[in-house]
């Protein structure tokens, strides 16, 4: 092959490789997705006037985006604030959530995490208080098979107002979470993490649904058959169909 032909072949290969490499979303596209995530969580009953969802900045792993304090159903792109991992605002304005340290400290401890949800899901509350482990009931809750530890703020800090409102409490929660996809918070709710915004929204939703199903099954006579650990590993979901469905249900 001549030099000219070789150069052309290399250019074609490079162009092909570039076309296969996913491009990072624009800042506005990421903000728009974060707004949708907030609204889906509210519309599907995972959060109400309280709770929050964040996403790591794909252009700078030491920053994350989170709306300023307010009801998730009302979040707009103008509400999005960029924080450093110490949870100090780097851009944007407005009063931040008191519990933003949940997000910053988890991002510090978990480089693999791209998105975080903190919610007050009602159906998980009993499992955090009753010493009954949450276990995977069905394939959509497959990730629960990795284990869902319970964070007890009383053990971490004594008597408090139950809010993770300091870096030290955020660090304690991150330690309890460890490498797992979710942790329950006694008398409070849950925290859920994932490698994408779409997946973390789905995991927060199905964590609550799984808890409801487990509570129902435990009331029936006889034992409960949960997913086998190997079944759970094989049942991995992308949840993209769920995201599109929930998005279609949002008020227009």
């Amino acid at each position: 092959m001549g030099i000219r032909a070789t150069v052309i072949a290399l250019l074609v290969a490079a162009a092909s490789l570039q076309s296969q490499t996913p491009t990072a979303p624009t800042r506005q596209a990421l903000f728009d997705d974060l707004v949708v995530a907030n609204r889906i969580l509210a519309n599907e009953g995972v959060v109400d006037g309280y709770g929050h969802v964040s996403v790591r900045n794909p252009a700078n792993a030491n920053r994350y985006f989170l709306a300023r304090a307010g009801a998730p159903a009302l979040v707009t792109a103008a509400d999005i604030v960029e924080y450093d991992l110490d949870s100090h605002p780097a851009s944007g304005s407005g009063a931040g959530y008191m519990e933003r340290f949940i997000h910053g400290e988890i991002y510090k401890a978990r480089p693999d995490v791209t998105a975080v949800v903190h919610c007050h899901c009602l159906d998980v509350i009993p499992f955090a208080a009753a010493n009954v482990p949450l276990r995977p009931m069905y394939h959509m809750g497959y990730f629960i098979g990795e284990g869902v530890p319970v964070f007890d703020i009383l053990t971490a800090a004594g008597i408090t107002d139950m809010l993770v409102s300091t870096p030290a409490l955020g660090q304690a929660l991150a330690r309890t979470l460890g490498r797992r996809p979710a942790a329950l918070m006694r008398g409070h709710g849950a925290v859920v993490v994932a490698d994408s915004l779409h997946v973390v929204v789905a995991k927060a939703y199905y964590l609550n649904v799984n808890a409801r199903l487990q509570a129902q099954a435990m009331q029936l006579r006889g034992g409960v058959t949960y997913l086998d650990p190997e079944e759970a590993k094989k049942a991995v979901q992308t949840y993209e169909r769920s995201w599109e469905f929930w998005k279609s249900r949002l008020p227009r």
Side-chain angles (χ1 to χ4, degrees):
M1 182 183 293
I3 294 177
R4 179 181 174 81
T6 301
V7 170
I8 292 173
L10 289 172
L11 289 173
V12 170
S16 176
L17 181 61
Q18 186 175 21
S19 67
Q20 296 173 24
T21 303
T23 57
T26 65
R27 195 179 184 93
Q28 187 59 50
L30 192 65
F31 283 14
D32 291 344
D33 231 18
L34 187 53
V35 169
V36 171
N38 273 276
R39 295 189 175 188
I40 285 175
L41 289 168
N43 202 51
E44 300 302 326
V46 180
V47 299
D48 48 23
Y50 298 88
H52 23 92
V53 53
S54 69
V55 63
R56 197 189 291 265
N57 184 345
N60 183 348
N62 293 318
R63 301 282 179 87
Y64 68 94
F65 298 111
L66 174 71
R68 58 191 175 196
L74 304 179
V75 166
T76 69
D79 296 316
I80 306 302
V81 178
E82 185 177 21
Y83 290 94
D84 62 25
L85 297 192
D86 290 324
S87 296
H88 299 311
S91 66
S93 61
Y97 288 106
M98 290 179 63
E99 294 190 291
R100 62 189 180 278
F101 304 103
I102 290 173
H103 303 264
E105 297 305 327
I106 287 175
Y107 287 128
K108 276 186 193 177
R110 293 281 301 272
D112 61 307
V113 167
T114 299
V116 177
V117 167
H118 169 52
C119 59
H120 302 155
C121 300
L122 298 182
D123 290 294
V124 308
I125 301 293
F127 288 91
N131 295 317
V132 176
L134 198 59
R135 298 181 61 184
M137 285 291 300
Y138 74 141
H139 66 297
M140 301 302 277
Y142 76 92
F143 59 93
I144 295 169
E146 297 179 44
V148 182
V150 175
F151 172 68
D152 191 340
I153 198 169
L154 181 64
T155 302
I159 300 297
T160 68
D161 59 2
M162 307 301 290
L163 300 182
V164 180
S165 55
T166 67
L169 287 172
Q171 291 162 18
L173 174 57
R175 285 194 296 271
T176 296
L177 176 67
R179 306 304 300 175
R180 298 177 182 88
L184 305 187
M185 302 164 71
R186 183 188 63 80
H188 193 158
V191 62
V192 186
V193 302
D195 61 1
S196 81
L197 193 54
H198 293 196
V199 171
V200 83
V201 167
K203 285 186 175 181
Y205 175 85
Y206 288 114
L207 182 78
N208 199 44
V209 171
N210 193 98
R212 189 182 316 141
L213 293 175
Q214 185 173 343
Q216 292 170 352
M218 291 170 63
Q219 294 177 40
L220 301 175
R221 293 182 179 181
V224 180
T225 301
Y226 301 101
L227 264 65
D228 180 89
E230 291 304 311
E231 289 179 316
K233 288 179 182 178
K234 290 186 176 182
V236 176
Q237 304 287 321
T238 65
Y239 298 118
E240 281 304 316
R241 195 177 298 177
S242 295
W243 173 272
E244 293 303 324
F245 169 66
W246 293 326
K247 189 175 178 180
S248 75
R249 286 162 49 88
L250 293 176
R252 299 187 184 279

